[in-house]
């Protein structure tokens, strides 16, 4: 939409449409945390209605900032990292920032440094690094000290603030749920060994079994794909002792359920299966999948606000943990009676 005389909308047009001063519009676009949420929402609505495009060169001259944030992430279509990236981008854009993304094939120290340098060349104001791999830790320790940086899904022993879902807590909820149904123990199909999320889920699963004095079966490692879940499900299916399986993501859980059904093991009458992530399709599996829901929107908002704090020169809390939610559906049921 353009202003009434046909020219592109300017900042004063936004101010008039939102019923605020031009200074308030400027604050919303450049320092959103200094404006009340209701006013901020009204201004951003006017920005969208008028299709207002801030003059980035003028903004940089006035504020010393480009209005662009950088995001470094692995190049993947996996649901968790892809959803995290999307929600970070939405949080930034809703606050008036543009986003530049550096997608990397892997998160080694060298590739991460190259990605950050690529973004610095674009004069970004700060960088969010989505770092779910063990290998990312070294790179996070050797970033330019003058660049505001926060991480998502990273480990605890790094020198930058981190926003992430509490993976251990999610695994605890899923495992306790299965034990509460009367199952003697719970098998676990885990993700790859170099993924922090996978290892956090193993930690929670193992902790619950140990504290309940239950047998701790061997961990079965998959690669997040339905195919790997199917192959591991084929290994589990012949064992009549297997009555409950906690799977580290929903795609692998889909494969496990198919393997069990092909082997004549009924889900959930004979074997209960729980996943992790709550992908949009989980409610439409057969049977609908019990799973752990991660709030990626909260992760994105926390990461964005941590970065705003770093850009403002303040030292935010080093870690923001977002609690996951257990979603109980029809793939889990009381243990079969013998």
């Amino acid at each position: 939409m353009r202003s009434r005389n046909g020219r592109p909308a300017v900042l004063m047009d936004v101010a008039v449409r939102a019923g605020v001063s031009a200074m308030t519009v400027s604050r919303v676009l450049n320092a959103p945390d200094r404006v009340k949420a209701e006013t901020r929402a009204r201004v951003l609505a006017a920005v969208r209605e008028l299709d207002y495009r801030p003059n980035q060169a003028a903004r940089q001259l006035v504020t010393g900032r480009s209005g662009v944030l950088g995001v470094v992430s692995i190049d993947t279509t996996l649901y968790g990292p892809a959803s995290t990236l999307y929600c970070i981008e939405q949080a930034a854009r809703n606050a008036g920032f543009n986003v530049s993304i550096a997608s990397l094939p892997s998160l080694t120290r060298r590739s991460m440094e190259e990605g950050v340098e690529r973004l610095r060349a674009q004069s970004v104001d700060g960088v969010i690094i989505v770092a779910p791999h063990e290998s990312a830790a070294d790179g996070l320790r050797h970033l330019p000290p003058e660049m505001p940086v926060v991480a998502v899904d990273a480990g605890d022993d790094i020198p930058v603030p981190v926003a992430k879902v509490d993976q251990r807590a999610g695994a605890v909820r899923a495992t306790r749920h299965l034990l509460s149904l009367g199952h003697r123990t719970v098998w676990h199909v885990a993700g790859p060994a170099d993924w922090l999320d996978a290892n956090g889920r193993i930690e929670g699963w193992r902790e619950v079994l140990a504290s309940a004095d239950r047998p701790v079966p061997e961990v079965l490692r998959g690669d997040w794909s339905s195919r790997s879940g199917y192959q591991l499900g084929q290994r589990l299916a012949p064992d009549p002792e297997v009555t409950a399986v906690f799977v580290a993501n929903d795609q692998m859980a889909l494969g496990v359920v198919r393997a069990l059904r092909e082997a004549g093991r009924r889900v959930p009458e004979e074997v209960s299966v729980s996943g992790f992530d709550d992908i949009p399709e989980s409610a439409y599996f057969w049977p609908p999948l019990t799973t752990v829901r991660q709030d990626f929107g909260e992760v994105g908002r926390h990461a964005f606000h941590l970065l705003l704090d770093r850009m403002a020169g303040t030292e935010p809390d080093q870690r923001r943990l977002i609690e996951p939610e257990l979603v109980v559906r029809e793939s889990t049921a009381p243990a079969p009676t013998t």
Side-chain angles (χ1 to χ4, degrees), residues 171 174-176 178-179 182-191 201-202 204-206 208-209 214-221 232-249 252-253 256 260 265 270-275 332 335-336:
T175 309
R176 282 180 177 165
L178 291 165
L179 290 184
H183 297 279
R184 187 176 70 91
T185 191
V186 177
W187 273 254
H188 183 42
V189 174
R201 293 166 199 175
I202 290 174
W205 162 77
R206 185 173 282 142
V208 171
L209 294 183
R214 303 298 178 88
V216 181
E218 174 192 0
V219 172
L220 303 177
R221 290 277 189 181
L232 294 171
Q234 288 178 312
R235 289 174 55 183
L236 291 170
D239 187 349
E241 295 295 316
V242 175
T243 65
V245 186
F246 165 47
V247 189
N249 79 334
M252 289 195 299
V256 169
L260 291 168
R265 304 290 303 277
E270 295 178 66
V271 185
S272 289
V273 177
S274 173
T332 54

Short mmCIF file of all heavy atoms in Angstrom, two decimals, residues 171 174-176 178-179 182-191 201-202 204-206 208-209 214-221 232-249 252-253 256 260 265 270-275 332 335-336:
data_model
loop_
_atom_site.label_atom_id
_atom_site.label_comp_id
_atom_site.label_asym_id
_atom_site.label_seq_id
_atom_site.Cartn_x
_atom_site.Cartn_y
_atom_site.Cartn_z
N ALA A 171 12.65 -35.58 27.92
CA ALA A 171 12.85 -37.03 27.99
C ALA A 171 12.36 -37.59 29.32
O ALA A 171 11.80 -38.69 29.38
CB ALA A 171 14.32 -37.36 27.79
N ALA A 174 8.55 -37.96 29.08
CA ALA A 174 8.13 -39.08 28.24
C ALA A 174 8.39 -40.42 28.94
O ALA A 174 7.54 -41.32 28.93
CB ALA A 174 8.85 -39.03 26.90
N THR A 175 9.56 -40.56 29.55
CA THR A 175 9.91 -41.83 30.19
C THR A 175 9.05 -42.09 31.42
O THR A 175 8.58 -43.22 31.64
CB THR A 175 11.40 -41.83 30.57
OG1 THR A 175 12.19 -41.45 29.42
CG2 THR A 175 11.85 -43.19 31.05
N ARG A 176 8.84 -41.06 32.23
CA ARG A 176 7.97 -41.22 33.39
C ARG A 176 6.55 -41.60 32.98
O ARG A 176 5.89 -42.41 33.64
CB ARG A 176 7.94 -39.92 34.21
CG ARG A 176 9.18 -39.72 35.07
CD ARG A 176 9.09 -38.42 35.83
NE ARG A 176 10.23 -38.24 36.72
CZ ARG A 176 10.55 -37.08 37.29
NH1 ARG A 176 9.81 -35.99 37.07
NH2 ARG A 176 11.61 -37.00 38.07
N LEU A 178 5.65 -43.35 30.39
CA LEU A 178 5.62 -44.76 30.01
C LEU A 178 5.71 -45.67 31.24
O LEU A 178 5.00 -46.68 31.33
CB LEU A 178 6.75 -45.05 29.03
CG LEU A 178 6.55 -44.41 27.64
CD1 LEU A 178 7.85 -44.42 26.84
CD2 LEU A 178 5.44 -45.12 26.87
N LEU A 179 6.56 -45.31 32.19
CA LEU A 179 6.64 -46.12 33.41
C LEU A 179 5.33 -46.06 34.20
O LEU A 179 4.92 -47.06 34.81
CB LEU A 179 7.80 -45.66 34.29
CG LEU A 179 9.21 -45.93 33.79
CD1 LEU A 179 10.23 -45.49 34.84
CD2 LEU A 179 9.42 -47.39 33.43
N GLY A 182 2.78 -48.72 33.73
CA GLY A 182 3.04 -50.07 34.20
C GLY A 182 4.10 -50.83 33.44
O GLY A 182 4.30 -52.02 33.71
N HIS A 183 4.81 -50.20 32.53
CA HIS A 183 5.86 -50.88 31.79
C HIS A 183 7.08 -51.08 32.69
O HIS A 183 7.45 -50.20 33.46
CB HIS A 183 6.24 -50.08 30.55
CG HIS A 183 5.11 -49.93 29.57
ND1 HIS A 183 4.78 -50.92 28.67
CD2 HIS A 183 4.22 -48.92 29.38
CE1 HIS A 183 3.74 -50.52 27.95
NE2 HIS A 183 3.38 -49.31 28.37
N ARG A 184 7.68 -52.26 32.59
CA ARG A 184 8.81 -52.60 33.46
C ARG A 184 10.01 -51.70 33.19
O ARG A 184 10.71 -51.28 34.10
CB ARG A 184 9.20 -54.06 33.28
CG ARG A 184 10.25 -54.57 34.26
CD ARG A 184 10.50 -56.05 34.07
NE ARG A 184 11.20 -56.33 32.82
CZ ARG A 184 12.54 -56.40 32.71
NH1 ARG A 184 13.30 -56.21 33.77
NH2 ARG A 184 13.10 -56.66 31.55
N THR A 185 10.26 -51.41 31.92
CA THR A 185 11.33 -50.50 31.54
C THR A 185 10.96 -49.89 30.20
O THR A 185 9.90 -50.19 29.63
CB THR A 185 12.69 -51.20 31.48
OG1 THR A 185 13.72 -50.20 31.34
CG2 THR A 185 12.79 -52.18 30.32
N VAL A 186 11.84 -49.02 29.69
CA VAL A 186 11.59 -48.30 28.44
C VAL A 186 12.85 -48.39 27.57
O VAL A 186 13.95 -48.05 28.03
CB VAL A 186 11.25 -46.81 28.71
CG1 VAL A 186 11.06 -46.05 27.39
CG2 VAL A 186 10.02 -46.69 29.60
N TRP A 187 12.70 -48.86 26.34
CA TRP A 187 13.81 -48.84 25.37
C TRP A 187 13.91 -47.45 24.75
O TRP A 187 12.93 -46.70 24.72
CB TRP A 187 13.57 -49.89 24.30
CG TRP A 187 14.10 -51.25 24.67
CD1 TRP A 187 15.21 -51.87 24.18
CD2 TRP A 187 13.52 -52.18 25.60
NE1 TRP A 187 15.37 -53.11 24.76
CE2 TRP A 187 14.35 -53.32 25.63
CE3 TRP A 187 12.39 -52.15 26.44
CZ2 TRP A 187 14.10 -54.42 26.44
CZ3 TRP A 187 12.13 -53.23 27.24
CH2 TRP A 187 12.97 -54.36 27.25
N HIS A 188 15.09 -47.13 24.24
CA HIS A 188 15.28 -45.80 23.67
C HIS A 188 15.95 -45.88 22.31
O HIS A 188 17.04 -46.46 22.17
CB HIS A 188 16.12 -44.92 24.59
CG HIS A 188 16.28 -43.50 24.10
ND1 HIS A 188 15.25 -42.78 23.54
CD2 HIS A 188 17.37 -42.67 24.07
CE1 HIS A 188 15.67 -41.57 23.22
NE2 HIS A 188 16.96 -41.49 23.50
N VAL A 189 15.30 -45.27 21.30
CA VAL A 189 15.90 -45.07 19.98
C VAL A 189 16.37 -43.62 19.95
O VAL A 189 15.56 -42.69 19.96
CB VAL A 189 14.88 -45.35 18.87
CG1 VAL A 189 15.47 -44.98 17.50
CG2 VAL A 189 14.47 -46.82 18.88
N ALA A 190 17.69 -43.42 19.95
CA ALA A 190 18.29 -42.10 20.11
C ALA A 190 18.69 -41.51 18.76
O ALA A 190 18.73 -42.20 17.73
CB ALA A 190 19.52 -42.19 21.01
N GLY A 191 19.02 -40.21 18.79
CA GLY A 191 19.56 -39.54 17.61
C GLY A 191 21.07 -39.71 17.52
O GLY A 191 21.68 -40.39 18.35
N ARG A 201 18.42 -35.99 25.58
CA ARG A 201 17.27 -36.90 25.70
C ARG A 201 17.70 -38.24 26.30
O ARG A 201 16.97 -38.83 27.10
CB ARG A 201 16.60 -37.06 24.34
CG ARG A 201 15.95 -35.78 23.87
CD ARG A 201 15.56 -35.76 22.39
NE ARG A 201 15.38 -34.38 21.95
CZ ARG A 201 15.13 -34.01 20.71
NH1 ARG A 201 15.01 -34.91 19.75
NH2 ARG A 201 14.99 -32.73 20.41
N ILE A 202 18.88 -38.72 25.92
CA ILE A 202 19.41 -39.94 26.54
C ILE A 202 19.60 -39.72 28.04
O ILE A 202 19.24 -40.58 28.87
CB ILE A 202 20.75 -40.34 25.90
CG1 ILE A 202 20.54 -40.83 24.47
CG2 ILE A 202 21.45 -41.43 26.72
CD1 ILE A 202 21.82 -41.10 23.71
N GLY A 204 18.05 -37.71 30.14
CA GLY A 204 16.79 -37.70 30.87
C GLY A 204 16.18 -39.08 30.98
O GLY A 204 15.67 -39.48 32.04
N TRP A 205 16.21 -39.83 29.87
CA TRP A 205 15.67 -41.20 29.85
C TRP A 205 16.41 -42.09 30.85
O TRP A 205 15.80 -42.77 31.66
CB TRP A 205 15.81 -41.75 28.43
CG TRP A 205 15.72 -43.23 28.29
CD1 TRP A 205 14.60 -44.01 28.32
CD2 TRP A 205 16.82 -44.13 28.06
NE1 TRP A 205 14.93 -45.34 28.12
CE2 TRP A 205 16.27 -45.44 27.97
CE3 TRP A 205 18.19 -43.96 27.93
CZ2 TRP A 205 17.08 -46.56 27.75
CZ3 TRP A 205 18.99 -45.07 27.70
CH2 TRP A 205 18.43 -46.35 27.62
N ARG A 206 17.74 -42.03 30.79
CA ARG A 206 18.55 -42.88 31.67
C ARG A 206 18.36 -42.49 33.14
O ARG A 206 18.31 -43.35 34.03
CB ARG A 206 20.01 -42.76 31.25
CG ARG A 206 20.96 -43.69 31.99
CD ARG A 206 22.34 -43.62 31.39
NE ARG A 206 22.45 -44.38 30.15
CZ ARG A 206 23.16 -44.01 29.09
NH1 ARG A 206 23.78 -42.85 29.09
NH2 ARG A 206 23.23 -44.79 28.04
N VAL A 208 15.69 -41.28 34.65
CA VAL A 208 14.42 -41.76 35.18
C VAL A 208 14.49 -43.26 35.47
O VAL A 208 14.06 -43.73 36.53
CB VAL A 208 13.26 -41.46 34.20
CG1 VAL A 208 11.98 -42.15 34.64
CG2 VAL A 208 13.04 -39.96 34.10
N LEU A 209 15.05 -44.03 34.55
CA LEU A 209 15.14 -45.48 34.76
C LEU A 209 16.02 -45.80 35.96
O LEU A 209 15.69 -46.67 36.78
CB LEU A 209 15.69 -46.17 33.51
CG LEU A 209 14.80 -46.12 32.25
CD1 LEU A 209 15.46 -46.91 31.12
CD2 LEU A 209 13.41 -46.65 32.53
N ARG A 214 15.06 -49.36 37.50
CA ARG A 214 14.61 -50.22 36.40
C ARG A 214 15.80 -50.57 35.50
O ARG A 214 16.78 -49.82 35.44
CB ARG A 214 13.54 -49.50 35.57
CG ARG A 214 12.34 -49.05 36.37
CD ARG A 214 11.57 -50.21 37.00
NE ARG A 214 10.45 -49.73 37.78
CZ ARG A 214 9.24 -49.49 37.29
NH1 ARG A 214 8.98 -49.71 36.01
NH2 ARG A 214 8.28 -49.05 38.08
N PRO A 215 15.72 -51.67 34.77
CA PRO A 215 16.79 -52.00 33.82
C PRO A 215 16.97 -50.88 32.80
O PRO A 215 15.99 -50.26 32.36
CB PRO A 215 16.28 -53.28 33.16
CG PRO A 215 15.26 -53.83 34.10
CD PRO A 215 14.64 -52.67 34.78
N VAL A 216 18.22 -50.62 32.43
CA VAL A 216 18.53 -49.59 31.42
C VAL A 216 18.99 -50.31 30.16
O VAL A 216 20.14 -50.75 30.08
CB VAL A 216 19.60 -48.61 31.92
CG1 VAL A 216 19.88 -47.55 30.85
CG2 VAL A 216 19.18 -47.96 33.24
N PRO A 217 18.14 -50.44 29.16
CA PRO A 217 18.53 -51.17 27.94
C PRO A 217 19.62 -50.43 27.16
O PRO A 217 19.88 -49.24 27.38
CB PRO A 217 17.23 -51.23 27.13
CG PRO A 217 16.13 -50.97 28.12
CD PRO A 217 16.72 -50.03 29.12
N GLU A 218 20.21 -51.16 26.24
CA GLU A 218 21.21 -50.56 25.35
C GLU A 218 20.56 -49.46 24.50
O GLU A 218 19.44 -49.62 24.00
CB GLU A 218 21.78 -51.63 24.43
CG GLU A 218 22.73 -51.11 23.36
CD GLU A 218 23.05 -52.15 22.30
OE1 GLU A 218 22.53 -53.28 22.41
OE2 GLU A 218 23.80 -51.82 21.36
N VAL A 219 21.27 -48.34 24.36
CA VAL A 219 20.79 -47.26 23.49
C VAL A 219 20.94 -47.66 22.04
O VAL A 219 22.00 -48.17 21.63
CB VAL A 219 21.58 -45.95 23.76
CG1 VAL A 219 21.20 -44.89 22.73
CG2 VAL A 219 21.31 -45.45 25.16
N LEU A 220 19.90 -47.46 21.24
CA LEU A 220 19.94 -47.72 19.80
C LEU A 220 20.03 -46.38 19.08
O LEU A 220 19.16 -45.52 19.24
CB LEU A 220 18.69 -48.48 19.36
CG LEU A 220 18.45 -49.82 20.08
CD1 LEU A 220 17.13 -50.43 19.58
CD2 LEU A 220 19.60 -50.77 19.84
N ARG A 221 21.09 -46.17 18.30
CA ARG A 221 21.34 -44.89 17.64
C ARG A 221 20.79 -44.87 16.21
O ARG A 221 21.15 -45.69 15.38
CB ARG A 221 22.83 -44.60 17.58
CG ARG A 221 23.48 -44.30 18.92
CD ARG A 221 23.30 -42.86 19.29
NE ARG A 221 24.09 -42.51 20.48
CZ ARG A 221 24.11 -41.31 21.03
NH1 ARG A 221 23.38 -40.34 20.50
NH2 ARG A 221 24.84 -41.06 22.09
N LEU A 232 15.73 -49.91 13.22
CA LEU A 232 15.90 -50.19 14.64
C LEU A 232 14.64 -50.84 15.23
O LEU A 232 14.72 -51.68 16.13
CB LEU A 232 16.28 -48.92 15.39
CG LEU A 232 17.65 -48.35 15.00
CD1 LEU A 232 17.87 -46.98 15.62
CD2 LEU A 232 18.77 -49.29 15.41
N GLY A 233 13.48 -50.45 14.71
CA GLY A 233 12.24 -51.09 15.13
C GLY A 233 12.23 -52.57 14.78
O GLY A 233 11.69 -53.40 15.53
N GLN A 234 12.84 -52.91 13.64
CA GLN A 234 12.93 -54.33 13.26
C GLN A 234 13.78 -55.11 14.26
O GLN A 234 13.54 -56.29 14.49
CB GLN A 234 13.53 -54.45 11.85
CG GLN A 234 12.59 -54.01 10.74
CD GLN A 234 13.23 -54.11 9.38
OE1 GLN A 234 14.36 -53.66 9.18
NE2 GLN A 234 12.52 -54.70 8.42
N ARG A 235 14.78 -54.45 14.84
CA ARG A 235 15.61 -55.11 15.85
C ARG A 235 14.83 -55.30 17.16
O ARG A 235 15.03 -56.28 17.88
CB ARG A 235 16.88 -54.30 16.11
CG ARG A 235 17.87 -54.34 14.96
CD ARG A 235 19.05 -53.40 15.20
NE ARG A 235 19.73 -53.66 16.47
CZ ARG A 235 20.75 -52.93 16.93
NH1 ARG A 235 21.20 -51.91 16.21
NH2 ARG A 235 21.31 -53.23 18.09
N LEU A 236 13.96 -54.35 17.48
CA LEU A 236 13.22 -54.42 18.74
C LEU A 236 12.02 -55.36 18.66
O LEU A 236 11.65 -55.99 19.65
CB LEU A 236 12.73 -53.02 19.12
CG LEU A 236 13.79 -52.00 19.53
CD1 LEU A 236 13.17 -50.61 19.65
CD2 LEU A 236 14.43 -52.40 20.86
N ALA A 237 11.39 -55.44 17.49
CA ALA A 237 10.10 -56.12 17.36
C ALA A 237 10.10 -57.58 17.83
O ALA A 237 9.13 -58.02 18.47
CB ALA A 237 9.62 -56.02 15.91
N PRO A 238 11.15 -58.38 17.57
CA PRO A 238 11.06 -59.81 17.96
C PRO A 238 11.16 -60.05 19.46
O PRO A 238 10.85 -61.15 19.92
CB PRO A 238 12.27 -60.43 17.24
CG PRO A 238 12.67 -59.46 16.18
CD PRO A 238 12.33 -58.12 16.74
N ASP A 239 11.57 -59.05 20.23
CA ASP A 239 11.79 -59.24 21.66
C ASP A 239 10.49 -59.02 22.43
O ASP A 239 10.01 -57.88 22.52
CB ASP A 239 12.87 -58.28 22.15
CG ASP A 239 13.27 -58.53 23.60
OD1 ASP A 239 12.58 -59.31 24.30
OD2 ASP A 239 14.27 -57.94 24.04
N PRO A 240 9.91 -60.05 23.03
CA PRO A 240 8.64 -59.87 23.74
C PRO A 240 8.77 -59.01 24.99
O PRO A 240 7.77 -58.53 25.52
CB PRO A 240 8.23 -61.30 24.10
CG PRO A 240 9.52 -62.07 24.11
CD PRO A 240 10.38 -61.44 23.06
N GLU A 241 10.01 -58.81 25.48
CA GLU A 241 10.23 -57.95 26.65
C GLU A 241 10.04 -56.48 26.31
O GLU A 241 9.85 -55.65 27.21
CB GLU A 241 11.64 -58.18 27.21
CG GLU A 241 11.88 -59.57 27.75
CD GLU A 241 11.02 -59.85 28.95
OE1 GLU A 241 10.91 -58.97 29.83
OE2 GLU A 241 10.42 -60.95 29.03
N VAL A 242 10.11 -56.13 25.03
CA VAL A 242 9.94 -54.74 24.60
C VAL A 242 8.47 -54.39 24.60
O VAL A 242 7.70 -54.86 23.76
CB VAL A 242 10.55 -54.50 23.21
CG1 VAL A 242 10.26 -53.07 22.74
CG2 VAL A 242 12.05 -54.76 23.22
N THR A 243 8.04 -53.58 25.58
CA THR A 243 6.64 -53.14 25.64
C THR A 243 6.51 -51.62 25.61
O THR A 243 5.39 -51.10 25.54
CB THR A 243 5.95 -53.65 26.91
OG1 THR A 243 6.56 -53.06 28.06
CG2 THR A 243 6.03 -55.17 26.99
N ALA A 244 7.64 -50.89 25.69
CA ALA A 244 7.58 -49.42 25.67
C ALA A 244 8.86 -48.90 25.03
O ALA A 244 9.96 -49.33 25.39
CB ALA A 244 7.43 -48.86 27.08
N VAL A 245 8.70 -47.96 24.08
CA VAL A 245 9.85 -47.38 23.37
C VAL A 245 9.70 -45.86 23.35
O VAL A 245 8.68 -45.33 22.91
CB VAL A 245 9.95 -47.91 21.92
CG1 VAL A 245 11.23 -47.39 21.27
CG2 VAL A 245 9.89 -49.43 21.87
N PHE A 246 10.74 -45.19 23.85
CA PHE A 246 10.82 -43.73 23.75
C PHE A 246 11.77 -43.42 22.59
O PHE A 246 12.93 -43.81 22.61
CB PHE A 246 11.34 -43.14 25.05
CG PHE A 246 11.79 -41.70 24.95
CD1 PHE A 246 11.02 -40.75 24.30
CD2 PHE A 246 13.01 -41.31 25.50
CE1 PHE A 246 11.44 -39.44 24.20
CE2 PHE A 246 13.44 -40.00 25.42
CZ PHE A 246 12.66 -39.05 24.76
N VAL A 247 11.26 -42.73 21.58
CA VAL A 247 12.02 -42.45 20.36
C VAL A 247 12.37 -40.96 20.34
O VAL A 247 11.54 -40.11 20.65
CB VAL A 247 11.23 -42.84 19.10
CG1 VAL A 247 12.12 -42.76 17.87
CG2 VAL A 247 10.66 -44.25 19.25
N ALA A 248 13.60 -40.65 19.92
CA ALA A 248 14.13 -39.30 20.07
C ALA A 248 13.58 -38.28 19.09
O ALA A 248 13.82 -37.08 19.25
CB ALA A 248 15.66 -39.32 19.98
N ASN A 249 12.86 -38.69 18.07
CA ASN A 249 12.10 -37.73 17.26
C ASN A 249 10.93 -38.44 16.60
O ASN A 249 10.87 -39.68 16.55
CB ASN A 249 12.99 -36.98 16.26
CG ASN A 249 13.31 -37.79 15.02
OD1 ASN A 249 13.32 -39.01 15.04
ND2 ASN A 249 13.61 -37.10 13.92
N MET A 252 11.59 -40.81 13.35
CA MET A 252 12.05 -42.16 13.68
C MET A 252 10.94 -42.97 14.34
O MET A 252 10.82 -44.18 14.11
CB MET A 252 13.28 -42.10 14.59
CG MET A 252 14.54 -41.60 13.90
SD MET A 252 16.07 -41.92 14.83
CE MET A 252 15.79 -41.01 16.35
N ALA A 253 10.10 -42.31 15.14
CA ALA A 253 8.98 -43.02 15.77
C ALA A 253 8.04 -43.60 14.72
O ALA A 253 7.51 -44.71 14.88
CB ALA A 253 8.22 -42.09 16.70
N VAL A 256 9.59 -46.79 13.61
CA VAL A 256 9.49 -47.81 14.65
C VAL A 256 8.08 -48.42 14.65
O VAL A 256 7.92 -49.65 14.71
CB VAL A 256 9.83 -47.22 16.04
CG1 VAL A 256 9.45 -48.20 17.15
CG2 VAL A 256 11.31 -46.87 16.13
N LEU A 260 7.10 -52.38 13.98
CA LEU A 260 6.38 -53.18 14.98
C LEU A 260 5.12 -53.78 14.38
O LEU A 260 4.82 -54.97 14.57
CB LEU A 260 6.03 -52.31 16.19
CG LEU A 260 7.21 -51.87 17.07
CD1 LEU A 260 6.76 -50.79 18.05
CD2 LEU A 260 7.80 -53.06 17.82
N ARG A 265 3.30 -56.83 16.05
CA ARG A 265 3.21 -56.25 17.40
C ARG A 265 2.25 -55.06 17.34
O ARG A 265 2.50 -54.08 16.63
CB ARG A 265 4.58 -55.79 17.90
CG ARG A 265 5.66 -56.86 17.92
CD ARG A 265 5.42 -57.92 18.99
NE ARG A 265 5.31 -57.39 20.35
CZ ARG A 265 6.34 -57.10 21.14
NH1 ARG A 265 7.59 -57.25 20.69
NH2 ARG A 265 6.16 -56.66 22.36
N GLU A 270 0.26 -53.85 22.58
CA GLU A 270 1.41 -54.66 22.98
C GLU A 270 2.67 -53.83 23.22
O GLU A 270 3.48 -54.18 24.07
CB GLU A 270 1.69 -55.72 21.92
CG GLU A 270 0.59 -56.75 21.76
CD GLU A 270 0.92 -57.74 20.67
OE1 GLU A 270 1.88 -58.51 20.83
OE2 GLU A 270 0.21 -57.72 19.64
N VAL A 271 2.84 -52.77 22.46
CA VAL A 271 4.02 -51.90 22.60
C VAL A 271 3.57 -50.44 22.54
O VAL A 271 2.90 -50.04 21.58
CB VAL A 271 5.06 -52.15 21.49
CG1 VAL A 271 6.32 -51.31 21.76
CG2 VAL A 271 5.41 -53.62 21.39
N SER A 272 3.92 -49.67 23.56
CA SER A 272 3.67 -48.23 23.57
C SER A 272 4.86 -47.51 22.95
O SER A 272 6.01 -47.88 23.21
CB SER A 272 3.44 -47.73 24.99
OG SER A 272 2.19 -48.16 25.50
N VAL A 273 4.58 -46.47 22.17
CA VAL A 273 5.65 -45.72 21.50
C VAL A 273 5.42 -44.22 21.74
O VAL A 273 4.31 -43.71 21.52
CB VAL A 273 5.68 -46.00 19.98
CG1 VAL A 273 6.77 -45.14 19.32
CG2 VAL A 273 5.95 -47.48 19.72
N SER A 274 6.47 -43.54 22.18
CA SER A 274 6.43 -42.08 22.34
C SER A 274 7.52 -41.45 21.49
O SER A 274 8.63 -41.99 21.40
CB SER A 274 6.63 -41.69 23.80
OG SER A 274 6.74 -40.28 23.93
N GLY A 275 7.23 -40.31 20.89
CA GLY A 275 8.22 -39.59 20.08
C GLY A 275 8.68 -38.32 20.76
O GLY A 275 8.56 -38.15 21.98
N THR A 332 0.32 -44.64 23.22
CA THR A 332 0.77 -45.18 24.52
C THR A 332 -0.43 -45.65 25.31
O THR A 332 -1.50 -45.02 25.27
CB THR A 332 1.57 -44.13 25.32
OG1 THR A 332 0.79 -42.93 25.45
CG2 THR A 332 2.89 -43.80 24.64
N ALA A 335 0.63 -51.17 30.16
CA ALA A 335 1.41 -52.34 29.76
C ALA A 335 0.52 -53.56 29.63
O ALA A 335 -0.45 -53.72 30.39
CB ALA A 335 2.51 -52.59 30.79
N PRO A 336 0.84 -54.44 28.67
CA PRO A 336 0.01 -55.64 28.52
C PRO A 336 0.17 -56.56 29.73
O PRO A 336 1.22 -56.65 30.34
CB PRO A 336 0.59 -56.30 27.25
CG PRO A 336 1.98 -55.76 27.14
CD PRO A 336 1.93 -54.37 27.69
#
